[in-house]
Amino acid sequence: MPQPSYPFANIRIKVREKSLLSREKILRLAGAATAQEAMSLLADYGYPGAEDTKPSSFEKCISAELRNVYSFIWEITPEPEVTNLFFLQLDYHNLKAILKSDALGVGAAQNMLVNNGTIDPTAMFEAVKEKRYDFFPPEMEAALTEIDRRFAVKVDVSLIGLLLDGAYARQIERELKDVKEEFVHRYFRALFDFINVSALIRLKRLDAGRELMERTLLPGGGLSFDYLREAYELSMEEMLNLLEKSVYQKEMTPGLEHFRQTGSFAVLIKARNDYLIRLCLTYRKDMFSIAPVLCYLVGKMRETQAVRMAMLAKLNNISGREIAEILPETIE
């Protein structure tokens, strides 16, 4: 059960931090001679189930590692209501999986659900099936009601992600009002800023209308909607130039330049992840706050994303050098 002591929780976190994988170790995965060798390394790093050396099982290993981490965080967190903000994304992942599976008629949605969110996935599945939307937080309830209303006219699966992403941001924004921890506010503000910048560029490339842009932007960021609207009215090059002058100039400029040259968002996504990791490094030593617990959680989630990238690269014969260019920093 959650513990009320910050020092107790953070001392346990300090012990766990020693096992976080360095960027060098993850690059060793991508540079392994074979996928089987990469799995052996993953077993050496302590990932559950990797010892069977079957490359196809790496996702199961990552899922098992994350389950262990989530259970540990829940066990030691002194502020479960704050920690839950970082678990909300799992709830929204599950809700998207349920709705998309139903809309596409593919079934088996329950097999795609993950545990350790703030809502039991089985209860969520049953509530959606029975349309008991008052079971959910108000932002989820409103999004589900709106999806039903729109689907009564025309089924458009793309609306699921669009409406639920907005609900996620609004729920975070509402619940942050009761959170005093500066790190948490800065983390989500930066996260939504980077998401909005990427969305703006994607929509501009598609020549999407202003109405869709307005519906896509997420609340809760530090970059004002007026600033983003102004950027969207410009040409692509002018928009990129303006975005480069934001408060994230140092972080975004390499990603925006890479997009100009290649049309890829890979470096911009890396910039977002690196910025959030550096933010964690700023707060991780505050032993009398929730920050070290959250920073460890973010670091572990980034680690598993990097492991996934390395393993996919190995299975698809992508060189370690190519992965090194887009592999995010780690918190070790």
Tab-separated table of all heavy atoms in Angstrom, residues 26 47 58-59 62 66 70 89 187 269 272-273 276-277 298-312 323 326-330:
chain	number	residue	atom	x	y	z
A	26	ILE	N	21.862	0.311	-23.770
A	26	ILE	CA	20.793	0.139	-24.752
A	26	ILE	C	21.375	0.092	-26.159
A	26	ILE	O	20.914	-0.693	-27.014
A	26	ILE	CB	19.765	1.276	-24.609
A	26	ILE	CG1	19.067	1.158	-23.248
A	26	ILE	CG2	18.725	1.207	-25.728
A	26	ILE	CD1	18.205	2.326	-22.883
A	47	TYR	N	15.531	-8.147	-17.367
A	47	TYR	CA	14.158	-8.093	-17.871
A	47	TYR	C	13.518	-9.473	-17.763
A	47	TYR	O	14.074	-10.463	-18.246
A	47	TYR	CB	14.139	-7.601	-19.317
A	47	TYR	CG	14.049	-6.088	-19.428
A	47	TYR	CD1	15.028	-5.270	-18.878
A	47	TYR	CD2	12.961	-5.482	-20.047
A	47	TYR	CE1	14.950	-3.888	-18.949
A	47	TYR	CE2	12.866	-4.094	-20.132
A	47	TYR	CZ	13.861	-3.311	-19.577
A	47	TYR	OH	13.761	-1.944	-19.652
A	58	PHE	N	10.137	-10.174	-26.923
A	58	PHE	CA	10.666	-9.007	-26.220
A	58	PHE	C	9.574	-8.082	-25.702
A	58	PHE	O	9.731	-7.457	-24.643
A	58	PHE	CB	11.664	-8.235	-27.105
A	58	PHE	CG	11.050	-7.302	-28.108
A	58	PHE	CD1	10.766	-5.985	-27.769
A	58	PHE	CD2	10.765	-7.729	-29.388
A	58	PHE	CE1	10.207	-5.117	-28.689
A	58	PHE	CE2	10.208	-6.864	-30.316
A	58	PHE	CZ	9.921	-5.549	-29.961
A	59	GLU	N	8.434	-7.986	-26.414
A	59	GLU	CA	7.345	-7.134	-25.933
A	59	GLU	C	6.792	-7.659	-24.613
A	59	GLU	O	6.431	-6.876	-23.722
A	59	GLU	CB	6.241	-7.033	-26.978
A	59	GLU	CG	6.533	-6.080	-28.133
A	59	GLU	CD	6.461	-4.613	-27.716
A	59	GLU	OE1	6.195	-4.328	-26.537
A	59	GLU	OE2	6.684	-3.746	-28.573
A	62	ILE	N	9.130	-6.548	-21.898
A	62	ILE	CA	8.955	-5.135	-21.575
A	62	ILE	C	7.695	-4.937	-20.736
A	62	ILE	O	7.703	-4.211	-19.739
A	62	ILE	CB	8.893	-4.289	-22.861
A	62	ILE	CG1	10.271	-4.250	-23.524
A	62	ILE	CG2	8.405	-2.872	-22.565
A	62	ILE	CD1	10.288	-3.563	-24.878
A	66	LEU	N	7.496	-3.429	-16.919
A	66	LEU	CA	6.669	-2.277	-16.567
A	66	LEU	C	5.665	-2.623	-15.466
A	66	LEU	O	5.418	-1.813	-14.568
A	66	LEU	CB	5.946	-1.746	-17.800
A	66	LEU	CG	6.798	-0.917	-18.767
A	66	LEU	CD1	6.009	-0.580	-20.018
A	66	LEU	CD2	7.297	0.358	-18.104
A	70	TYR	N	5.348	-0.514	-12.082
A	70	TYR	CA	4.102	0.123	-11.649
A	70	TYR	C	3.691	-0.370	-10.263
A	70	TYR	O	3.254	0.430	-9.427
A	70	TYR	CB	2.981	-0.157	-12.652
A	70	TYR	CG	3.204	0.418	-14.031
A	70	TYR	CD1	2.628	-0.167	-15.157
A	70	TYR	CD2	3.982	1.553	-14.217
A	70	TYR	CE1	2.824	0.364	-16.425
A	70	TYR	CE2	4.180	2.086	-15.478
A	70	TYR	CZ	3.601	1.481	-16.586
A	70	TYR	OH	3.801	2.010	-17.830
A	89	GLN	N	-2.380	7.842	-18.575
A	89	GLN	CA	-2.190	7.489	-19.981
A	89	GLN	C	-2.537	6.030	-20.249
A	89	GLN	O	-2.964	5.679	-21.358
A	89	GLN	CB	-0.750	7.771	-20.411
A	89	GLN	CG	0.302	7.010	-19.632
A	89	GLN	CD	1.700	7.356	-20.073
A	89	GLN	OE1	2.043	7.235	-21.242
A	89	GLN	NE2	2.525	7.811	-19.151
A	187	TYR	N	6.368	19.362	-15.973
A	187	TYR	CA	6.416	18.161	-16.815
A	187	TYR	C	5.255	18.145	-17.810
A	187	TYR	O	5.456	18.007	-19.025
A	187	TYR	CB	6.385	16.909	-15.937
A	187	TYR	CG	6.410	15.616	-16.735
A	187	TYR	CD1	7.619	15.010	-17.041
A	187	TYR	CD2	5.234	15.006	-17.174
A	187	TYR	CE1	7.663	13.840	-17.780
A	187	TYR	CE2	5.267	13.839	-17.911
A	187	TYR	CZ	6.486	13.261	-18.211
A	187	TYR	OH	6.508	12.106	-18.959
A	269	ILE	N	10.719	14.184	-31.675
A	269	ILE	CA	10.253	13.313	-30.597
A	269	ILE	C	11.380	13.052	-29.604
A	269	ILE	O	11.172	13.076	-28.381
A	269	ILE	CB	9.715	11.987	-31.168
A	269	ILE	CG1	8.437	12.242	-31.980
A	269	ILE	CG2	9.440	10.978	-30.050
A	269	ILE	CD1	7.944	11.048	-32.745
A	272	ARG	N	11.736	16.073	-27.406
A	272	ARG	CA	10.726	16.097	-26.348
A	272	ARG	C	11.118	15.178	-25.197
A	272	ARG	O	11.108	15.583	-24.030
A	272	ARG	CB	9.361	15.654	-26.906
A	272	ARG	CG	8.258	15.591	-25.857
A	272	ARG	CD	7.036	14.875	-26.400
A	272	ARG	NE	7.286	13.445	-26.554
A	272	ARG	CZ	6.483	12.613	-27.221
A	272	ARG	NH1	5.407	13.070	-27.826
A	272	ARG	NH2	6.765	11.330	-27.296
A	273	ASN	N	11.496	13.943	-25.525
A	273	ASN	CA	11.857	12.985	-24.488
A	273	ASN	C	13.100	13.423	-23.721
A	273	ASN	O	13.176	13.266	-22.498
A	273	ASN	CB	12.058	11.600	-25.103
A	273	ASN	CG	10.771	11.004	-25.627
A	273	ASN	OD1	9.678	11.388	-25.192
A	273	ASN	ND2	10.861	10.078	-26.557
A	276	LEU	N	12.215	16.239	-21.237
A	276	LEU	CA	11.525	15.738	-20.056
A	276	LEU	C	12.479	14.991	-19.121
A	276	LEU	O	12.364	15.085	-17.892
A	276	LEU	CB	10.358	14.845	-20.465
A	276	LEU	CG	9.229	15.560	-21.231
A	276	LEU	CD1	8.194	14.556	-21.713
A	276	LEU	CD2	8.577	16.636	-20.382
A	277	ILE	N	13.424	14.268	-19.701
A	277	ILE	CA	14.416	13.577	-18.879
A	277	ILE	C	15.306	14.583	-18.163
A	277	ILE	O	15.603	14.447	-16.962
A	277	ILE	CB	15.274	12.618	-19.726
A	277	ILE	CG1	14.470	11.364	-20.085
A	277	ILE	CG2	16.561	12.221	-18.993
A	277	ILE	CD1	14.105	10.494	-18.899
A	298	VAL	N	9.293	7.995	-14.717
A	298	VAL	CA	9.493	8.523	-16.076
A	298	VAL	C	10.744	7.907	-16.693
A	298	VAL	O	10.749	7.505	-17.863
A	298	VAL	CB	9.611	10.061	-16.049
A	298	VAL	CG1	10.024	10.591	-17.419
A	298	VAL	CG2	8.289	10.689	-15.631
A	299	GLY	N	11.817	7.818	-15.903
A	299	GLY	CA	13.056	7.241	-16.417
A	299	GLY	C	12.890	5.805	-16.862
A	299	GLY	O	13.410	5.387	-17.898
A	300	LYS	N	12.124	5.033	-16.086
A	300	LYS	CA	11.910	3.630	-16.437
A	300	LYS	C	11.033	3.508	-17.682
A	300	LYS	O	11.269	2.640	-18.537
A	300	LYS	CB	11.269	2.897	-15.257
A	300	LYS	CG	11.347	1.386	-15.370
A	300	LYS	CD	12.794	0.893	-15.315
A	300	LYS	CE	12.890	-0.616	-15.491
A	300	LYS	NZ	14.269	-1.096	-15.381
A	301	MET	N	10.034	4.373	-17.804
A	301	MET	CA	9.190	4.341	-18.995
A	301	MET	C	9.999	4.712	-20.236
A	301	MET	O	9.839	4.107	-21.301
A	301	MET	CB	8.006	5.288	-18.804
A	301	MET	CG	7.033	4.822	-17.725
A	301	MET	SD	5.805	6.055	-17.251
A	301	MET	CE	4.685	5.956	-18.639
A	302	ARG	N	10.896	5.699	-20.101
A	302	ARG	CA	11.770	6.063	-21.231
A	302	ARG	C	12.714	4.921	-21.563
A	302	ARG	O	13.002	4.640	-22.719
A	302	ARG	CB	12.568	7.322	-20.893
A	302	ARG	CG	11.736	8.575	-20.798
A	302	ARG	CD	11.278	9.055	-22.183
A	302	ARG	NE	10.403	10.204	-22.038
A	302	ARG	CZ	9.086	10.152	-21.980
A	302	ARG	NH1	8.460	8.995	-22.070
A	302	ARG	NH2	8.358	11.241	-21.847
A	303	GLU	N	13.217	4.265	-20.523
A	303	GLU	CA	14.119	3.136	-20.750
A	303	GLU	C	13.456	2.040	-21.572
A	303	GLU	O	14.031	1.531	-22.541
A	303	GLU	CB	14.573	2.555	-19.412
A	303	GLU	CG	15.413	1.280	-19.545
A	303	GLU	CD	15.601	0.586	-18.213
A	303	GLU	OE1	16.219	1.190	-17.316
A	303	GLU	OE2	15.124	-0.574	-18.064
A	304	THR	N	12.214	1.687	-21.208
A	304	THR	CA	11.536	0.607	-21.929
A	304	THR	C	11.213	1.020	-23.367
A	304	THR	O	11.237	0.179	-24.276
A	304	THR	CB	10.251	0.173	-21.206
A	304	THR	OG1	9.407	1.311	-20.979
A	304	THR	CG2	10.583	-0.479	-19.865
A	305	GLN	N	10.941	2.308	-23.580
A	305	GLN	CA	10.745	2.782	-24.954
A	305	GLN	C	12.027	2.633	-25.757
A	305	GLN	O	12.005	2.232	-26.931
A	305	GLN	CB	10.290	4.241	-24.950
A	305	GLN	CG	8.873	4.445	-24.438
A	305	GLN	CD	8.530	5.916	-24.262
A	305	GLN	OE1	9.367	6.800	-24.459
A	305	GLN	NE2	7.298	6.198	-23.884
A	306	ALA	N	13.154	2.963	-25.128
A	306	ALA	CA	14.439	2.847	-25.815
A	306	ALA	C	14.788	1.381	-26.091
A	306	ALA	O	15.319	1.050	-27.159
A	306	ALA	CB	15.536	3.499	-24.977
A	307	VAL	N	14.482	0.506	-25.135
A	307	VAL	CA	14.714	-0.931	-25.339
A	307	VAL	C	13.877	-1.425	-26.516
A	307	VAL	O	14.354	-2.200	-27.361
A	307	VAL	CB	14.378	-1.719	-24.052
A	307	VAL	CG1	14.282	-3.224	-24.345
A	307	VAL	CG2	15.427	-1.454	-22.984
A	308	ARG	N	12.626	-0.985	-26.583
A	308	ARG	CA	11.762	-1.378	-27.697
A	308	ARG	C	12.357	-0.922	-29.035
A	308	ARG	O	12.380	-1.689	-30.009
A	308	ARG	CB	10.365	-0.791	-27.512
A	308	ARG	CG	9.399	-1.166	-28.648
A	308	ARG	CD	8.000	-0.635	-28.420
A	308	ARG	NE	7.348	-1.309	-27.305
A	308	ARG	CZ	7.128	-0.755	-26.125
A	308	ARG	NH1	7.489	0.499	-25.884
A	308	ARG	NH2	6.522	-1.450	-25.171
A	309	MET	N	12.836	0.307	-29.091
A	309	MET	CA	13.457	0.819	-30.315
A	309	MET	C	14.660	-0.030	-30.704
A	309	MET	O	14.831	-0.383	-31.880
A	309	MET	CB	13.901	2.274	-30.106
A	309	MET	CG	12.774	3.276	-30.040
A	309	MET	SD	13.377	4.942	-29.611
A	309	MET	CE	14.477	5.260	-30.992
A	310	ALA	N	15.490	-0.370	-29.730
A	310	ALA	CA	16.695	-1.147	-30.014
A	310	ALA	C	16.348	-2.550	-30.511
A	310	ALA	O	16.960	-3.050	-31.462
A	310	ALA	CB	17.564	-1.225	-28.756
A	311	MET	N	15.363	-3.187	-29.885
A	311	MET	CA	14.992	-4.531	-30.296
A	311	MET	C	14.331	-4.539	-31.665
A	311	MET	O	14.594	-5.430	-32.491
A	311	MET	CB	14.063	-5.155	-29.248
A	311	MET	CG	14.734	-5.478	-27.918
A	311	MET	SD	16.159	-6.602	-28.089
A	311	MET	CE	15.396	-8.033	-28.873
A	312	LEU	N	13.475	-3.562	-31.931
A	312	LEU	CA	12.855	-3.479	-33.257
A	312	LEU	C	13.911	-3.234	-34.324
A	312	LEU	O	13.829	-3.776	-35.439
A	312	LEU	CB	11.812	-2.355	-33.275
A	312	LEU	CG	10.509	-2.656	-32.543
A	312	LEU	CD1	9.638	-1.403	-32.459
A	312	LEU	CD2	9.740	-3.782	-33.236
A	323	ILE	N	20.062	4.000	-35.068
A	323	ILE	CA	19.296	4.101	-33.823
A	323	ILE	C	19.923	5.130	-32.893
A	323	ILE	O	19.230	5.882	-32.208
A	323	ILE	CB	19.212	2.727	-33.135
A	323	ILE	CG1	18.257	1.827	-33.919
A	323	ILE	CG2	18.726	2.857	-31.704
A	323	ILE	CD1	16.823	2.359	-33.972
A	326	ILE	N	18.607	8.741	-32.978
A	326	ILE	CA	17.282	9.097	-32.480
A	326	ILE	C	16.990	8.532	-31.093
A	326	ILE	O	15.933	8.791	-30.527
A	326	ILE	CB	16.176	8.620	-33.456
A	326	ILE	CG1	16.199	7.104	-33.642
A	326	ILE	CG2	16.309	9.317	-34.798
A	326	ILE	CD1	15.059	6.564	-34.471
A	327	LEU	N	17.927	7.783	-30.511
A	327	LEU	CA	17.708	7.199	-29.194
A	327	LEU	C	17.743	8.296	-28.143
A	327	LEU	O	18.687	9.080	-28.063
A	327	LEU	CB	18.802	6.170	-28.898
A	327	LEU	CG	18.553	5.237	-27.711
A	327	LEU	CD1	17.416	4.277	-28.019
A	327	LEU	CD2	19.827	4.456	-27.372
A	328	PRO	N	16.690	8.400	-27.315
A	328	PRO	CA	16.649	9.478	-26.321
A	328	PRO	C	17.657	9.251	-25.197
A	328	PRO	O	18.163	8.153	-24.992
A	328	PRO	CB	15.213	9.388	-25.789
A	328	PRO	CG	14.808	7.975	-26.012
A	328	PRO	CD	15.493	7.549	-27.281
A	329	GLU	N	17.914	10.325	-24.466
A	329	GLU	CA	18.758	10.237	-23.281
A	329	GLU	C	18.060	9.376	-22.232
A	329	GLU	O	16.844	9.182	-22.278
A	329	GLU	CB	19.009	11.632	-22.702
A	329	GLU	CG	19.805	12.548	-23.618
A	329	GLU	CD	19.969	13.945	-23.049
A	329	GLU	OE1	19.682	14.134	-21.841
A	329	GLU	OE2	20.391	14.843	-23.783
A	330	THR	N	18.836	8.861	-21.290
A	330	THR	CA	18.262	8.088	-20.187
A	330	THR	C	18.558	8.829	-18.877
A	330	THR	O	19.322	9.779	-18.840
A	330	THR	CB	18.845	6.665	-20.137
A	330	THR	OG1	20.279	6.748	-19.988
A	330	THR	CG2	18.525	5.900	-21.405
